[in-house]
Amino acid sequence: MSELRVSIESYRGRSFEVGEGVGAHEQMKDVQQRCEHFVQPINIEEARTVYQHFAPHLLDEMEGMSETLSISLNDALTLFSGYDLPKLEGLGCTALMTDQGYVRNYDFGPDYYDGRLILRQPSECYATCGHSLLGIGLHDGMNEHGLTVGLHFVSTRLHQKGLMAGIIVRMVLDTCRTVEEAIILLKDLPHADEYNYSLTDASGKSSVVEIGPSGSEVRCKATLYCTNHFQKSNSPQATESSIQRLTYLENHPIVKVEKWFDEFRNPFSPLFFRDYDNLFGTLHTVMMNPKERLFKTVIAGGEEVITIHFQDWVNGGTVNNRNISVTL
């Protein structure tokens, strides 16, 4: 038995100030050490160029982080930019999208998990709420316009120099308002590996973008299911787990999003996994209602549902910054 701790954090101000806050949190040292174990030297000027083109405010955020961590900005770019990383292990993610909202499980190992749910409201971009990935990235989340995004690993077979998926999710949420805008940006960004990106927005539109170094395909439908293989593109061999999860979703009776949320977070569901030692345990479940700007999450099948009325927070409200512990 082990304990998983997740912090709920909120930051407002200039991107530099947000970075200072994110970097000063006690869990940032663990994130830094984790990154130091697998990052490699990168071309700093190439990374800067990518960020200056797509999300210059994130350079400011990393600078703020570097100040509180007492490292150089170049070291912060190397550790946290998500640019030109080595091939990373695969992970599992299952998502459902309807005009009522979005539900998703993230499955991986706790040793590679930030354990941070972060609300950010930088003055230079849109406010976001989501589960942190390697400091500035996001596994999934929602922005102030109701756009929601989640990542789904597919393959490293075409691995090349580019951005990791968590940074891509962050850039999309920081700068896009709708699914249409997100698709345009996703096609323009430099992708290191093949991923699915599941999307919904406040209009009720949903899409899955199957994308990687070789190109992209887009799936649009009233109800969409997404796991860890391409359904439309010429794809690598799908894993048995990915196919089984998709089949279960497709054959499940039609229910409301709230019922799906209960299904996804249920430890006895075929969509929930406990193989944490082998990098396949459910670490969080999210439900996002873009129209109402409602964000709900449960950590690792725990009993507590964390509910955030994100529009209220964007308008100046508060959240209870605290830590949650769950036994795995």
Side-chain angles (χ1 to χ4, degrees):
M1 304 288 280
S2 62
E3 185 178 68
L4 178 66
R5 189 176 73 161
V6 174
S7 60
I8 302 173
E9 311 165 36
S10 57
Y11 305 99
R12 291 187 168 100
R14 294 180 295 113
S15 289
F16 180 87
E17 295 168 332
V18 170
E20 285 183 310
V22 171
H25 193 274
E26 59 182 350
Q27 286 185 230
M28 193 65 212
K29 283 294 185 181
D30 292 336
V31 175
Q32 180 181 353
Q33 291 173 2
R34 193 176 304 122
C35 291
E36 288 171 346
H37 286 157
F38 69 85
V39 296
Q40 60 190 9
I42 66 171
N43 187 313
I44 296 295
E45 289 310 310
E46 285 183 3
R48 283 182 182 272
T49 298
V50 170
Y51 272 82
Q52 285 168 348
H53 181 69
F54 292 107
H57 65 280
L58 289 178
L59 290 172
D60 295 333
E61 184 169 324
M62 282 185 280
E63 184 176 1
M65 292 169 64
S66 72
E67 288 286 324
T68 54
L69 293 171
S70 299
I71 61 176
S72 69
L73 177 56
N74 284 354
D75 285 344
L77 278 162
T78 299
L79 291 173
F80 309 123
S81 71
Y83 180 76
D84 194 21
L85 292 181
K87 289 183 180 181
L88 301 177
E89 293 287 341
L91 45 95
C93 307
T94 308
L96 160 85
M97 293 139 279
T98 77
D99 60 0
Q100 301 172 22
Y102 179 105
V103 183
R104 179 175 184 269
N105 274 355
Y106 171 67
D107 309 309
F108 202 46
D111 291 342
Y112 300 90
Y113 188 57
D114 282 13
R116 306 176 72 180
L117 173 60
I118 300 181
L119 289 76
R120 291 178 174 91
Q121 192 174 29
S123 55
E124 300 92 337
C125 64
Y126 301 140
T128 61
C129 174
H131 285 279
S132 171
L133 175 58
L134 301 184
I136 68 168
L138 290 171
H139 293 285
D140 40 48
M142 173 193 296
N143 72 15
E144 64 184 87
H145 295 285
L147 179 65
T148 68
V149 187
L151 59 81
H152 306 251
F153 172 80
V154 174
S155 171
T156 59
R157 62 177 182 149
L158 302 176
H159 181 78
Q160 67 173 19
K161 190 178 291 186
L163 293 170
M164 76 167 187
I167 296 298
I168 289 171
V169 170
R170 176 76 191 278
M171 288 183 174
V172 169
L173 289 174
D174 279 7
T175 62
C176 299
R177 296 169 297 175
T178 64
V179 165
E180 289 86 353
E181 290 181 7
I183 291 171
I184 292 170
L185 179 58
L186 283 168
K187 290 182 177 181
D188 202 22
L189 288 167
H191 295 260
D193 294 300
E194 294 177 307
Y195 272 78
N196 289 320
Y197 294 88
S198 49
L199 306 133
T200 59
D201 64 22
S203 74
K205 181 168 185 177
S206 299
S207 292
V208 172
V209 180
E210 304 177 354
I211 197 164
S214 66
S216 63
E217 295 283 355
V218 179
R219 295 192 285 120
C220 297
K221 199 175 178 182
T223 298
L224 283 168
Y225 309 111
C226 187
T227 53
N228 296 96
H229 64 279
F230 291 155
Q231 297 182 42
K232 192 172 183 181
S233 310
N234 291 326
S235 63
Q237 182 65 42
T239 65
E240 183 178 352
S241 169
S242 185
I243 293 172
Q244 287 176 343
R245 283 177 279 134
L246 178 62
T247 301
Y248 180 78
L249 290 167
E250 291 176 333
N251 292 331
H252 195 282
I254 297 174
V255 295
K256 293 183 177 180
V257 164
E258 290 80 5
K259 292 293 185 181
W260 273 119
F261 182 53
D262 291 339
E263 173 71 13
F264 272 61
R265 68 189 183 97
N266 179 1
F268 301 101
S269 167
L271 303 175
F272 193 100
F273 298 90
R274 288 200 175 277
D275 196 5
Y276 295 104
D277 291 339
N278 292 310
L279 305 181
F280 210 92
T282 301
L283 294 171
H284 68 247
T285 304
V286 293
M287 185 191 84
M288 295 177 276
N289 183 321
K291 295 177 183 177
E292 298 180 6
R293 311 297 195 270
L294 177 66
F295 183 100
K296 290 187 176 184
T297 189
V298 170
I299 307 303
E303 295 183 1
E304 181 180 2
V305 178
I306 302 157
T307 300
I308 297 173
H309 297 277
F310 189 51
Q311 190 63 57
D312 291 345
W313 184 82
V314 170
N315 291 339
T318 60
V319 298
N320 182 13
N321 294 342
R322 58 196 174 98
N323 292 323
I324 297 168
S325 296
V326 177
T327 301
L328 300 180

